Amino acid sequence: MDISLQGRAALITGGSDGLGKGMAIRFAASGADVAILARDPDKLEAARADIADAGSGKVAMLSCDLLDAAATNAAFADAEEALGKIDILVNNAGTSRAGPFEDITDDEWAEDLELKLMAAIRLCRAALPGMKSRQWGRIINVLNIGAKAPRPVGAPTAVSRAAGLALTKVLAGDGAPHNVLVNALMVGLIKSGQWERAHENSGSNDSYDVFVQNMSDDRGIPLGRIGETEEFSNIACFLASDQAGYITGTSINVDGGASPVV
Ligand SMILES: NC(=O)c1ccc[n+]([C@@H]2O[C@H](COP(=O)([O-])OP(=O)(O)OC[C@H]3O[C@@H](n4cnc5c(N)ncnc54)[C@H](OP(=O)(O)O)[C@@H]3O)[C@@H](O)[C@H]2O)c1
């Protein structure tokens, strides 16, 4: 299937690294104009160059901390101005914070919900009017398989992600009469910047490939390996395209079979 995003404009949060950067490259290669949002301007600049190499459309950068509501709203307005419109919104920025329940403070709960839920809510609220008026839109919420199958040490992220799943369903119903389709991608373990940093910080003499293979073995992933970034961005690109025009209000596990539930 030839997937084209020609003429579309996408905003991808967390687009400077990992899965977000992978999606930005894939979308650009498929013809989209792309805006990437993250905090670190140097990482944004490095990603911008790779994304520009992948396609011939516009690439905009937004340095913004999604924990700041006013900055988030301003960044959306800047993205819209830079690209002329936002047809595709990917709420991807996040961290994989999780630990023993009794150790998690109120501040840590609040920060996790702010970054993973409230930032997505604010960006959806900003994006929907334009999508509805043009009768075309795609929102993709990047979540975690723990949203449906939380582990005992899955908080706070599994709780924030479960709320993201409910948000996905609410917005799918809201957007459907306007051809705005809203879906979630449930990540298991996929190669990304966060695992490269974890490998660097581990002090291990193992190569990155051995490090991530050990992670996969520890989790017992049925396909026997961690996912490739491109395997994730391919499915995101499909959901962002016209070809996915009859899919809304659902979630897809991208996890090599790791989730115990569909
Ligand atoms: N990869 C996996 O195996 C996996 C597993 C489960 C869930 N996920 C989820 O998938 C998404 C992408 O993960 P990833 O593995 O690609 O992570 P990553 O490599 O660490 O990239 C995270 C991106 O988010 C940005 N970001 C983080 N905090 C931000 C903030 N407060 N404001 C704005 N931008 C922020 C980062 O840039 P700056 O640091 O410069 O802001 C970076 O661009 C996340 O939501 C993550 O929780 C991934």
Side-chain angles (χ1 to χ4, degrees):
M1 190 191 302
D2 187 18
I3 296 176
S4 169
L5 299 183
Q6 204 68 45
R8 303 296 181 199
L11 169 59
I12 302 174
T13 71
S16 66
D17 204 353
L19 308 186
K21 180 177 160 184
M23 288 185 278
I25 288 172
R26 182 69 168 87
F27 287 16
S30 301
D33 293 336
V34 178
I36 53 172
L37 180 157
R39 291 167 300 182
D40 182 340
D42 293 337
K43 257 168 52 180
L44 278 165
E45 185 56 52
R48 194 195 64 76
D50 291 344
I51 298 160
D53 281 350
S56 53
K58 293 180 197 163
V59 183
M61 296 184 307
L62 305 144
S63 176
C64 166
D65 187 344
L66 291 171
L67 294 173
D68 181 335
T72 302
N73 291 329
F76 183 86
D78 290 346
E80 217 171 25
E81 192 180 332
L83 303 187
K85 58 177 182 169
I86 298 298
D87 300 307
I88 302 161
L89 168 64
V90 185
N91 291 305
N92 163 76
T95 56
S96 294
R97 171 181 287 168
F101 177 78
E102 289 173 39
D103 294 349
I104 305 165
T105 64
D106 280 6
D107 284 348
E108 288 168 339
W109 273 106
E111 187 175 310
D112 205 70
L113 284 159
E114 194 71 23
L115 175 59
K116 295 174 184 167
L117 181 64
M118 287 310 302
I121 288 172
R122 291 182 185 113
L123 290 171
C124 290
R125 195 164 48 209
L128 278 166
M131 292 178 177
K132 288 178 176 175
S133 73
R134 291 186 295 274
Q135 290 290 297
W136 200 99
R138 298 284 189 269
I139 296 174
I140 299 170
N141 294 321
V142 177
L143 306 174
N144 180 322
I145 54 173
K148 290 186 195 171
R151 297 184 296 148
V153 290
T157 196
V159 177
S160 307
R161 296 321 196 174
L165 210 47
L167 177 69
T168 301
K169 203 67 185 172
V170 166
L171 292 179
D174 180 85
H178 310 278
N179 193 34
V180 176
L181 314 187
V182 188
N183 294 291
L185 288 175
M186 316 303 282
V187 188
L189 274 181
I190 314 258
K191 284 182 187 169
S192 73
Q194 69 165 304
W195 303 130
E196 288 166 20
R197 291 193 300 279
H199 172 243
E200 278 165 26
N201 296 335
S202 69
S204 159
N205 290 326
D206 290 338
S207 67
Y208 177 62
D209 285 343
V210 170
F211 180 80
V212 294
Q213 186 58 47
N214 289 340
M215 283 173 38
S216 164
D217 294 345
D218 288 347
R219 295 271 183 103
I221 295 177
L223 285 184
R225 62 179 176 84
I226 187 171
E228 298 294 332
T229 314
E230 294 73 19
E231 291 174 310
F232 183 81
S233 47
N234 284 340
I235 185 76
C237 189
F238 169 68
L239 283 181
S241 73
D242 279 321
Q243 282 88 340
Y246 200 56
I247 303 173
T248 193
T250 196
S251 63
I252 300 173
N253 293 338
V254 191
D255 69 342
S259 175
V261 295
V262 291

